[in-house]
Amino acid sequence: MTSPTSPSTDGTPGSGGIGADGAPSYTIDTSKPHPARMYDYFLGGKDNYEVDQEAAEQFMKAAPEVRDGVRANRYFMHRAVRHVVAEGGVRQILDIGTGLPTEPNVHQIARAVAPETRVAYVDNDPIVSAHSRALMDQDDTSVVLADLRDPRGVLDHPEVRRVIDFDRPVAVLLVAIVHFLSEAQDPDGIVATLRDALPTGSYLVLSHATGDLHEDHREDAAAIYRRATASMNLRPHSRILDFFGDFTLVEPGLVTVPDWRPDKPAKDGAPPIGIYGGVARKNG
């Protein structure tokens, strides 16, 4: 649910989609809803347009729990980042599909634990990139305009390489972005390319929307994204597990995001959140 810097943030394929030459397009398209801007609206942000607001309101009618869901997804990301830095010892984070900045951002969460943590933010929306650059001017942070659908382009980008040393453990964040990749775009190959680039001791943090928890499988809600710059592709638990490959999931495994190492018990009567999340380590 962010903007894949691939096909959001909190993940999405390009703001302008794919050009005639097959390369990602980074033009700003305000004629269609954009997942990163819709996500911003769900979170109560103001960096969105009327077209995003209208689509988001339609989505909320079809999936009334969405605002609870995006908050739960974001809190999952907070806990996952603290885990990989504090318990995993990682000092480098590659956040792909970062979406519009919302405090606390990844670098703030990580550096509260380990101030030396280096962070590379990647998104394919020029608006996201501009907002992020305005907030960050540190040597150990980079903001990259690139697209998840071109994983090698992300990994080899000079600004990613300036901050991230792939000979040392890295945590890759794919938070609410892979569900914006259709099967035709080969999400397995894309995620595998990222996993294969990581050394032992690295982590993959991934969350993904699902229809498993609702009788209507949230098909009407997902259909709203057909008019957006990226489709939403809900997948079942078993399919989402595939994206972790041979990485080892840390406890409690792949669960709904509110259930991943919660800071406090869930409220009684809370609506089911149709987003799975997991954190996995690359072992030697």
Side-chain angles (χ1 to χ4, degrees):
M1 295 191 140
T2 77
S3 139
T5 59
S6 78
S8 196
T9 157
D10 322 235
T12 318
S15 180
I18 294 293
D21 60 356
S25 170
Y26 300 117
T27 57
I28 298 174
D29 183 357
T30 58
S31 68
K32 297 179 179 179
H34 190 284
R37 300 193 302 259
M38 289 175 64
Y39 195 84
D40 177 70
Y41 183 77
F42 292 141
L43 286 172
K46 301 186 183 305
D47 295 313
N48 46 72
Y49 297 95
E50 185 175 353
V51 67
D52 308 305
Q53 297 161 14
E54 290 175 352
E57 288 290 342
Q58 291 172 10
F59 192 96
M60 287 190 287
K61 289 180 182 177
E65 76 285 355
V66 63
R67 279 198 152 136
D68 289 329
V70 295
R71 292 189 188 100
N73 180 67
R74 187 151 189 86
Y75 299 149
F76 157 75
M77 183 270 287
H78 293 180
R79 299 191 301 274
V81 168
R82 287 196 294 267
H83 172 81
V84 299
V85 176
E87 298 181 47
V90 169
R91 297 295 181 266
Q92 304 184 105
I93 298 175
L94 177 57
D95 182 6
I96 305 178
T98 181
L100 286 152
T102 303
E103 291 195 347
N105 292 293
V106 169
H107 67 284
Q108 295 167 321
I109 298 164
R111 289 174 189 160
V113 178
E116 69 274 22
T117 305
R118 305 173 70 83
V119 180
Y121 291 102
V122 181
D123 205 288
N124 68 349
D125 184 353
I127 295 177
V128 170
S129 181
H131 278 266
S132 299
R133 283 196 177 93
L135 296 177
M136 302 168 204
D137 57 358
Q138 299 138 317
D139 291 339
D140 49 7
T141 304
S142 65
V143 178
V144 176
L145 185 61
D147 196 296
L148 175 60
R149 292 169 296 186
D150 178 16
R152 275 270 45 113
V154 171
L155 294 167
D156 295 336
H157 195 287
E159 276 298 294
V160 170
R161 292 282 173 169
R162 180 180 66 81
V163 171
I164 304 295
D165 177 1
F166 287 98
D167 290 329
R168 296 168 48 229
V170 181
V172 170
L173 309 188
L174 295 176
V175 177
I177 180 176
V178 176
H179 51 234
F180 290 110
L181 293 170
S182 68
E183 290 299 310
Q185 291 170 319
D186 188 21
D188 296 279
I190 288 170
V191 179
T193 297
L194 297 171
R195 290 197 315 265
D196 291 348
L198 303 179
T200 298
S202 294
Y203 285 83
L204 174 62
V205 176
L206 183 147
S207 67
H208 193 297
T210 184
D212 285 357
L213 279 68
H214 298 92
E215 288 185 9
D216 64 358
H217 302 294
R218 287 299 184 255
E219 292 176 358
D220 289 346
I224 292 166
Y225 278 85
R226 293 175 192 156
R227 301 191 299 275
T229 58
S231 64
M232 176 175 281
N233 304 276
L234 305 180
R235 294 182 172 99
H237 187 275
S238 59
R239 180 70 184 87
I240 298 167
L241 271 176
D242 294 341
F243 295 125
F244 292 95
D246 60 357
F247 281 32
T248 301
L249 282 158
V250 303
E251 291 295 331
L254 182 64
V255 296
T256 60
V257 288
D259 294 327
W260 197 90
R261 301 194 176 198
D263 294 325
K264 54 187 177 182
K267 295 180 182 177
D268 291 339
I273 302 302
I275 306 173
Y276 288 123
V279 177
R281 186 179 189 275
K282 186 171 187 174
N283 296 320

